Amino acid sequence: MVAGLGAAWILDGLQITIASSVTGVLASPETLNMTSTEIGLIASVYLVGQIIGALVFGRLSDQLGRRRLLVMTLLLYLLGTGAAAFTTGHHTGWLVYFYATRLVAGMGIGGQYAAINSAIDEMMPSKYRGRVDIWINGSYWAGAILGSFAALVFLNAFAVNVGWRLAFLMGPLLALVVLVVARTLPESPRWLLTHGRVQEAEEELAKIEEVASRSGQQLGPVDEGAAITLVPEQKYGYLTFLRLVFRQYPKRAILGATLMITQSFLYNAIFFTYALVLTTFYGVSATKVPLYGLAFSVGNLAGPLLLAPLFDSVGRKKMISGTYLVSGTLLGVSAFLFDNGDLTANSQTFVWVVIFFFASVGASAAYLTVSEIFPLETRAICIAFFYAFGTALGGITGAISDDEPTTPRANGLE
């Protein structure tokens, strides 16, 4: 389960990193000859796709099941990102085609978030849930590392108009591997029970108990006093859901929205524009950008790997507050240094690495928090809504918040 769900997050990291790393070469007349504004729109279109995918497939995940939705969204992602590699021109028709492929790929990835985090919370023992959730969400950055390597190799070993296409085709190859793994995942017994499918839930539990027994675990009988009553859920739409959540759980709703909006704004404002910042302000070659992205990704991966166990020992509240406050403070310091012209490409990247060592943990914790604080029968739709809401307010505005840069201003270039 951990391998399958983690692989889906790795796929997302691979996709976004490749798309961000190749943006510099897409401006070349040898490729798509896109303007900075057109390149910036790639990120926004992709995020719109993620919002649509989250809202559509998040609801379906509560209706059709976690495993089935994971496979469906992987196939959609495979189609969208593979088709992007075959864009051949810059005129309006091809630009619309290219943006459409990014929209479809975003829908596939956005639809996975609810299914993945719901499956983690419904299958993982509470004693280990915090660290496992943070680790799996943080595995996104293992994909980003793979994406940086792939972009670096393809952009430097092949002709510029071939390399970026091969980089995009890496996504479908990994998606096929993830599909094979995903087909072996058990369906959530809790989800099956809430849909009245008792016999199937018993069969899935029997498989899990068999594996536990083979590994030497002794599973004693469950006391009748620990039993709870589960009622099959009714189908409902987002309006009913919103009335329920904001009337019955207003403080939880505000917390979930705040965490999602802030982490989305921070990540998308920097991650979708760091290639343009490096090439425009620091004079970095577009083919060398993946090297900086690699360092950026390593910092993001190290944070969850090292700090995740503290969510189960120190606690959720202290860790979430701490990671958000530290990363926000460091970001403010970096803005001051950048404005004074005190940073080079290397020092700017180092600052990003330190910031996102903490921010990556906080971002992963946002999904953990939303999935834990709402009832089981609304879990996937809650994750989907708050992710979509946070991305709409924080992600898209963050990705397009920078004016188009025109003047290099570092390393002596004033």
Side-chain angles (χ1 to χ4, degrees):
M1 184 190 75
V2 171
L5 300 180
W9 272 102
I10 289 173
L11 188 65
D12 189 13
L14 175 80
Q15 168 61 203
I16 293 183
T17 302
I18 286 177
S20 299
S21 297
V22 303
T23 53
V25 301
L26 295 183
S28 169
E30 299 178 54
T31 56
L32 301 184
N33 198 29
M34 300 178 76
T35 66
S36 294
T37 301
E38 290 170 340
I39 290 174
L41 190 58
I42 296 174
S44 295
V45 169
Y46 183 80
L47 291 173
V48 169
Q50 287 190 318
I51 293 170
I52 296 172
L55 292 175
V56 172
F57 295 111
R59 182 182 177 189
L60 288 177
S61 181
D62 277 331
Q63 296 178 8
L64 302 180
R66 316 310 189 201
R67 182 176 61 181
R68 184 180 300 178
L69 260 295
L70 181 61
V71 172
M72 288 173 57
T73 52
L74 277 171
L75 289 171
L76 189 63
Y77 160 80
L78 189 154
L79 172 66
T81 194
F86 298 97
T87 308
T88 60
H90 178 261
H91 60 76
T92 303
W94 278 114
L95 281 179
V96 172
Y97 167 83
F98 183 73
Y99 289 137
T101 64
R102 305 308 301 142
L103 183 75
V104 172
M107 289 174 62
I109 292 296
Q112 292 179 25
Y113 293 160
I116 290 174
N117 284 280
S118 296
I120 295 170
D121 282 1
E122 291 165 13
M123 301 283 284
M124 190 56 57
S126 59
K127 182 179 179 181
Y128 305 104
R129 185 184 301 139
R131 72 191 72 181
V132 172
D133 195 294
I134 300 296
W135 279 336
I136 289 181
N137 283 284
S139 67
Y140 170 103
W141 295 103
I145 292 173
L146 290 176
S148 296
F149 273 120
L152 187 65
V153 171
F154 289 132
L155 292 181
N156 289 278
F158 296 89
V160 67
N161 197 34
V162 175
W164 75 268
R165 300 178 191 279
L166 294 176
F168 267 103
L169 289 174
M170 276 286 293
L173 289 177
L174 183 57
L176 291 174
V177 176
V178 178
L179 276 173
V180 175
V181 177
R183 290 178 62 85
T184 68
L185 292 176
E187 183 55 87
S188 164
R190 289 185 175 92
W191 178 85
L192 290 169
L193 282 174
T194 58
H195 288 74
R197 296 160 63 171
V198 179
Q199 183 59 38
E200 293 176 68
E202 292 286 358
E203 291 172 359
E204 294 291 354
L205 276 174
K207 295 176 185 177
I208 296 170
E209 290 168 355
E210 180 184 353
V211 174
S213 178
R214 287 204 307 265
S215 66
Q217 298 182 53
Q218 300 299 318
L219 302 177
V222 178
D223 188 273
E224 290 295 330
I228 60 174
T229 300
L230 291 176
V231 180
E233 68 172 20
Q234 298 178 348
K235 294 182 179 180
Y236 51 84
Y238 276 101
L239 290 179
T240 302
F241 159 76
L242 289 174
R243 284 197 296 269
L244 169 68
V245 169
F246 283 94
R247 286 181 181 175
Q248 199 161 338
Y249 308 105
K251 293 182 179 179
R252 301 182 192 185
I254 293 172
L255 173 63
T258 301
L259 292 178
M260 286 293 188
I261 291 171
T262 51
Q263 66 89 14
S264 183
F265 184 90
L266 172 61
Y267 263 98
N268 291 291
I270 293 180
F271 197 59
F272 277 117
T273 58
Y274 84 92
L276 287 176
V277 170
L278 291 172
T279 56
T280 303
F281 291 107
Y282 298 111
V284 175
S285 168
T287 58
K288 302 300 181 185
V289 165
L291 279 174
Y292 296 88
L294 180 61
F296 186 86
S297 300
V298 168
N300 276 277
L301 179 61
L305 290 179
L306 297 175
L307 300 181
L310 298 178
F311 278 79
D312 291 319
S313 57
V314 175
R316 312 289 203 254
K317 291 173 67 174
K318 292 180 180 178
M319 289 303 299
I320 293 172
S321 301
T323 52
Y324 270 71
L325 286 171
V326 170
S327 56
T329 301
L330 292 175
L331 184 66
V333 173
S334 72
F336 175 79
L337 295 174
F338 177 82
D339 191 53
N340 283 346
D342 295 331
L343 298 175
T344 64
N346 290 336
S347 59
Q348 174 72 78
T349 303
F350 175 77
V351 169
W352 282 334
V353 169
V354 175
I355 291 172
F356 285 95
F357 176 86
F358 298 99
S360 178
V361 181
S364 296
Y367 297 95
L368 170 65
T369 303
V370 172
S371 63
E372 283 192 329
I373 62 178
F374 291 102
L376 166 65
E377 59 269 26
T378 63
R379 179 169 289 147
I381 199 171
C382 279
I383 297 170
F385 171 77
F386 285 106
Y387 166 77
F389 184 68
T391 301
L393 291 184
I396 295 177
T397 54
I400 63 175
S401 61
D402 293 314
D403 293 329
E404 184 172 329
T406 56
T407 307
R409 44 168 297 199
N411 296 326
L413 300 176
E414 293 295 342

